[in-house]
């Protein structure tokens, strides 16, 4: 029975078990009505715990539900415990404690004095007796209802029957509320994952991608601080690249060592790392920063793309929190999608840097060409001046000597400049041409996608190694590929092929673009010759210079309306 406040009235313990049946049945019926009157999962669980405490006259009570993935009983609702106690984060393995024993065996357990039962796990020092009954649905234990009292022998068999009756009529309601809650969480998660999926196909700006992923993580897991750290090039450090919700001190944190940090375990072991409270984690390297920022619970998952770890996502809560298997799985899914977006944006960023470097090299090469020509041409008038000086008389000997000295100095400057301007010799080493070209095609993948182009690889297996300067050859092939991209319309095709030859190996970069006019083709490798409205016309001049430095030959085949193919033949090593 319920009083006017909606509280279940405590049956009179002085009455016999038989006389208690009527009021108990009525009270249970009223509780059942209340439980089915709401669809809010949290309200259902709290009502159930309140009814259990009121019907048995307990001082406190709790409801733990079983997590099928982790085989843990996790606290979902409680009543009557001290706010500072351990119970709010209670999580028990099946078989652990009195509650865990009930969850494992599926049978009720009445313990008159918990201090005499070795199974008891203390969560409140004032508790002296405990009663726990299983929530069973279709012969499967889905949770445990637990009530406690501060005096020994507070419960009897009548309380067992009451609590078992409450569990029997509420198991289906609890499962329904649980499924509804899970469905809502999945709906929110799917929406977030869908948004991240759009991000994968959207922005190629790395900083924008990282900020949006951090914000999506915070919404998905309701975390107060989320950060993304990417691996350094040597893979030894994690560098903060984006943060959502953190203070200035967190944003200013330095890099952390992968092999000496707690979050680095996610990289080393390629799995999620959790902490209910980082203040209790031995070896947590950012303890002082966490204390100042109020960071407590931590979930870290690695960002992995194509079996390569890119970094980690860190999710923090400012209170102690037990991370569920569902939360870990959600962040893993988000990380998998995010890793693709991050890698695409990273490749795009690298491509932009390469293109900027190429443009800088073209401008530098232009200035170099002009300066070399100027220095070379300067020597001619200087030679004439020197010859005329010898023909002058001796009337202005001092002036002539000053002029002769300055002319000699100008000649030395011109000679020194010409010596410095000579191209540097390549640094030669054995190379796998297929690997070099494959890496280059990965690098330009964002530009392929942006231009809606098609790329065909025809790389011959088991090519012999070549000897070359990796940086210079990458620059050579990048020039050829970018030149092809500049003339291809949407839907155009680029073909990169290799094959073995009698002399060594050949690499061909071909497009199905408009082709090169015959008049231009004759002067194609000369500086400042171009068919493009922009650019300096130095790209192919650089290609020829690098090819000459590698004792390689370059052939060009082009037909109007059908495309162009550049073929580089390189000698094999040895």
């Amino acid at each position: 029975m319920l009083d006017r406040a909606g509280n279940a009235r405590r049956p009179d313990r002085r009455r016999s078990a038989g006389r208690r049946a009527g009021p108990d049945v009525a009270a249970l019926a009223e509780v059942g009505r209340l439980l089915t009157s709401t669809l809010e999962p949290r309200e259902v669980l709290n009502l159930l715990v309140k009814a259990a405490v009121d019907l048995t006259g307990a001082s406190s009570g709790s409801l733990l539900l079983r997590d099928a993935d982790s085989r843990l009983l996790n606290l979902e609702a409680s009543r009557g415990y001290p706010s500072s106690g351990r119970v709010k984060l209670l999580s028990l393995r099946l078989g652990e404690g009195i509650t865990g024993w009930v969850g494992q065996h599926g049978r009720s357990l009445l313990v008159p004095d918990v201090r005499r039962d070795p199974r008891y796990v203390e969560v409140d020092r004032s508790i002296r007796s405990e009663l726990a009954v299983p929530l069973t649905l279709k012969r499967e234990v889905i949770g445990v209802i637990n009530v406690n009292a501060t005096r020994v022998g507070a419960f009897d068999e009548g309380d067992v029957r009451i609590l078992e009756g409450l569990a029997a009529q509420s198991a289906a309601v609890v499962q329904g509320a649980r499924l509804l809650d899970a469905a809502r969480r999945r709906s929110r998660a799917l929406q977030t994952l869908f948004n991240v999926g759009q991000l994968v196909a959207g922005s190629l700006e790395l900083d924008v991608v990282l900020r949006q992923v951090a914000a999506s993580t915070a919404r998905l897991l309701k975390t107060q601080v989320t950060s993304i750290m990417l691996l350094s090039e040597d893979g030894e450090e994690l560098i903060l690249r984006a943060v959502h919700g953190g203070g200035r001190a967190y944003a200013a944190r330095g890099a952390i060592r992968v092999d000496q940090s707690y979050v680095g375990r996610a990289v080393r072991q390629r799995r999620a790392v959790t902490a209910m409270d980082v203040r209790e984690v031995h070896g947590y390297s950012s303890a002082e920063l966490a204390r100042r920022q109020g960071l407590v619970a931590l979930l870290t998952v690695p960002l992995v793309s194509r079996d390569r770890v890119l970094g980690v996502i860190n999710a923090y809560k400012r209170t102690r929190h037990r991370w569920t298997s569902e939360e870990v799985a959600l962040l893993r899914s988000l990380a998998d999608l995010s890793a693709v977006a991050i890698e695409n944006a990273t490749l795009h960023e690298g491509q932009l840097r390469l293109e900027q470097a190429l443009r800088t090299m073209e401008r530098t090469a232009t200035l170099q060409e002009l300066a070399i020509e100027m220095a070379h041409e300067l020597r001619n008038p200087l030679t004439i001046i020197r010859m005329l000086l010898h023909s002058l008389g001796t009337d202005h000997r001092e002036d002539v000597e000053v002029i002769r000295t300055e002319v000699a100095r100008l000649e030395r400057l011109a000679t020194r400049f010409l010596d410095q301007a000579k191209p540097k010799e390549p640094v030669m080493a054995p190379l796998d041409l297929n690997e070099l070209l494959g890496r280059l095609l990965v690098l330009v993948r964002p530009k392929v996608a942006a231009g809606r182009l098609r790329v065909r690889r025809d790389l011959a297996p088991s090519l012999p190694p070549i000897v070359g300067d990796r940086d210079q050859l990458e620059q050579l092939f990048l020039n050829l590929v970018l030149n092809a991209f500049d003339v291809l319309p949407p839907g155009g095709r680029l073909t990169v092929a290799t094959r073995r030859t009698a002399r060594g190996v050949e690499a061909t970069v071909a497009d199905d673009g408009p082709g090169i006019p015959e008049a231009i083709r004759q002067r194609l490798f000369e500086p400042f010759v171009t068919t493009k409205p922009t650019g300096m016309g130095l790209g192919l001049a650089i290609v020829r210079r690098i090819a000459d430095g590698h004792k390689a030959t370059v052939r060009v085949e082009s037909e109007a309306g059908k495309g162009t193919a550049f073929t580089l033949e390189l000698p094999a090593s040895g």
Side-chain angles (χ1 to χ4, degrees):
M1 297 177 63
L2 302 177
D3 60 22
R4 291 183 180 180
N7 299 317
R9 290 179 178 172
R10 170 68 174 154
D12 188 350
R13 287 194 174 277
R14 294 175 296 177
R15 288 179 286 176
S16 66
R19 293 179 62 191
R20 289 170 55 186
D24 291 344
V25 170
L28 288 173
E30 182 64 12
V31 169
R33 186 190 65 79
L34 286 174
L35 289 175
T36 55
S37 67
T38 178
L39 290 176
E40 288 303 317
R42 188 57 48 191
E43 189 174 346
V44 168
L45 302 181
N46 286 329
L47 278 172
L48 181 55
V49 174
K50 184 177 185 300
V53 169
D54 292 345
L55 285 170
T56 59
S59 59
S60 60
S62 60
L63 172 63
L64 292 89
L65 295 181
R66 180 176 176 178
D67 183 343
D69 293 331
S70 63
R71 290 179 56 81
L72 290 175
L73 288 167
N74 298 320
L75 182 78
E76 298 295 339
S78 64
R79 184 177 181 84
Y81 291 96
S83 59
S84 59
R86 292 176 53 201
V87 70
K88 291 187 180 300
L89 292 165
L90 184 62
S91 182
L92 297 171
R93 296 185 301 275
L94 289 178
E96 181 184 8
I98 294 170
T99 304
W101 186 95
V102 172
Q104 184 179 47
H105 294 89
R107 300 200 304 270
S108 300
L109 184 60
L110 172 59
V111 181
D113 189 348
V114 295
R115 297 182 185 179
R116 295 178 177 273
D117 194 311
R119 292 168 295 191
Y120 179 66
V121 175
E122 183 179 288
V123 294
D124 182 355
R125 295 186 63 184
S126 67
I127 292 175
R128 295 301 304 274
S129 56
E130 181 174 348
L131 168 59
V133 301
L135 274 169
T136 305
L137 192 65
K138 297 180 180 179
R139 297 185 178 181
E140 180 183 352
V141 176
I142 64 170
V144 178
I145 302 175
N146 178 82
V147 292
N148 311 284
T150 56
R151 60 189 180 86
V152 174
F155 306 112
D156 58 22
E157 291 301 323
D159 294 307
V160 174
R161 288 192 295 274
I162 291 174
L163 212 54
E164 286 178 341
L166 180 63
Q169 75 170 20
S170 60
V173 178
V174 169
Q175 184 72 344
R178 189 181 191 184
L179 292 175
L180 176 61
D181 191 39
R184 289 176 175 174
R185 290 197 304 270
R186 281 195 295 271
S187 176
R188 291 193 298 268
L190 287 173
Q191 182 60 50
T192 302
L193 294 176
F194 175 75
N195 292 338
V196 174
Q198 289 183 313
L199 176 63
V200 171
S203 176
L204 288 174
E205 297 294 330
L206 182 57
D207 288 337
V208 172
V209 170
L210 294 175
R211 287 196 301 269
Q212 292 186 0
V213 169
S216 297
T217 301
R219 288 194 299 271
L220 183 65
L221 297 179
K222 294 183 173 57
T223 54
Q224 285 73 57
V225 178
T226 304
S227 66
I228 298 177
M229 309 183 83
L230 299 184
L231 275 176
S232 58
E233 289 188 5
D234 59 12
E236 294 183 356
E237 292 184 324
L238 284 165
I239 302 168
L240 182 67
R241 290 296 304 268
V243 60
H244 180 85
R248 291 183 179 178
Y250 190 94
R253 70 180 303 176
I256 61 175
R257 297 278 304 178
V258 170
D259 59 350
Q260 298 175 4
S261 61
Y262 187 70
V263 298
R265 289 172 55 187
V267 175
R268 300 193 304 269
Q269 301 173 7
R270 295 195 172 203
R271 65 174 181 83
V273 172
T274 64
M276 186 182 294
D277 190 337
V278 295
R279 297 169 297 186
E280 299 172 358
V281 173
H282 177 70
Y284 181 72
S285 59
S286 304
E288 180 58 27
L289 176 65
R291 185 190 65 78
R292 293 198 308 268
Q293 295 286 305
L295 308 179
V296 182
L298 166 67
L299 169 58
T300 298
V301 299
L303 291 159
V304 182
S305 177
R306 288 200 292 264
D307 203 38
R308 184 169 69 93
V309 179
L310 307 179
V312 297
I313 301 180
N314 301 311
Y316 287 96
K317 287 182 179 287
R318 289 201 164 101
T319 58
R320 289 171 60 88
H321 177 73
R322 180 192 65 251
W323 300 98
T324 66
S325 57
E326 182 182 16
E327 289 173 319
V328 174
L330 284 175
L331 191 53
R332 279 200 191 113
S333 299
L334 179 64
D336 289 342
L337 281 173
S338 302
V340 176
I342 290 169
E343 184 174 45
N344 285 343
T346 301
L347 290 172
H348 179 67
E349 188 179 71
Q351 178 195 349
L352 292 178
R353 285 198 302 267
L354 275 177
E355 290 182 353
Q356 180 60 41
L358 187 59
R359 287 192 291 270
T360 301
M361 290 176 68
E362 284 192 352
R363 288 194 294 268
T364 302
T366 303
L367 293 174
Q368 187 179 30
E369 293 273 354
L370 292 173
I372 290 173
E373 182 178 350
M374 183 182 296
H376 185 270
E377 294 301 319
L378 181 63
R379 300 180 79 174
N380 292 332
L382 287 175
T383 301
I384 295 172
I385 292 172
R386 188 173 63 250
M387 293 171 59
L388 292 174
L389 284 173
H390 285 294
S391 66
L392 291 176
T394 59
D395 295 339
H396 302 283
R397 181 176 297 174
E398 290 184 1
D399 293 339
V400 169
E401 190 60 34
V402 169
I403 293 172
R404 184 179 288 115
T405 300
E406 292 304 309
V407 167
R409 188 167 69 87
L410 287 173
E411 284 185 323
R412 289 195 302 272
L413 287 173
T415 300
R416 189 190 313 164
F417 183 84
L418 287 170
D419 290 340
Q420 290 291 328
K422 290 178 182 178
K424 292 183 172 58
E425 291 296 321
V427 179
M428 311 299 272
L431 295 174
D432 181 337
L433 186 59
N434 281 346
E435 184 272 331
L436 185 147
L437 292 171
R439 182 174 178 272
L440 179 65
L441 291 178
V442 170
L443 190 65
V444 299
R445 192 172 58 192
K447 195 170 185 70
V448 171
R452 302 196 301 278
L453 305 175
R454 296 172 294 158
V455 174
R456 176 175 172 264
R457 299 187 189 200
D458 186 13
L459 305 181
S462 304
L463 285 182
I466 62 170
V467 174
D469 184 305
R470 174 178 286 274
D471 292 339
Q472 289 190 10
L473 288 176
E474 283 187 352
Q475 181 188 354
L476 183 153
F477 286 112
L478 182 63
N479 270 308
L480 296 178
V481 169
L482 293 181
N483 280 350
F485 286 166
D486 286 341
V487 300
L488 284 174
R493 185 172 70 180
L494 174 78
T495 300
V496 177
T498 59
R499 72 181 186 93
R500 183 193 291 262
T501 66
R503 181 171 174 256
V505 296
E506 277 186 356
T508 299
V509 177
D511 64 69
D512 59 357
I516 302 172
E518 179 64 28
I520 296 292
R521 207 182 312 158
Q522 300 299 323
R523 304 172 49 240
L524 200 57
F525 293 101
E526 295 179 13
F528 313 114
V529 174
T530 181
T531 60
K532 297 184 292 185
T534 59
M536 302 296 297
L538 289 171
L540 292 178
I542 293 172
V543 167
R544 170 57 62 82
R545 177 173 60 79
I546 293 174
D548 290 344
H550 285 75
K551 297 182 174 58
T553 59
V554 184
R555 301 193 310 274
V556 184
E557 298 175 18
S558 186
E559 187 175 348
K562 293 187 177 181
T564 303
F566 288 86
T567 299
L568 181 75
E569 184 176 16
L570 291 144
S573 64

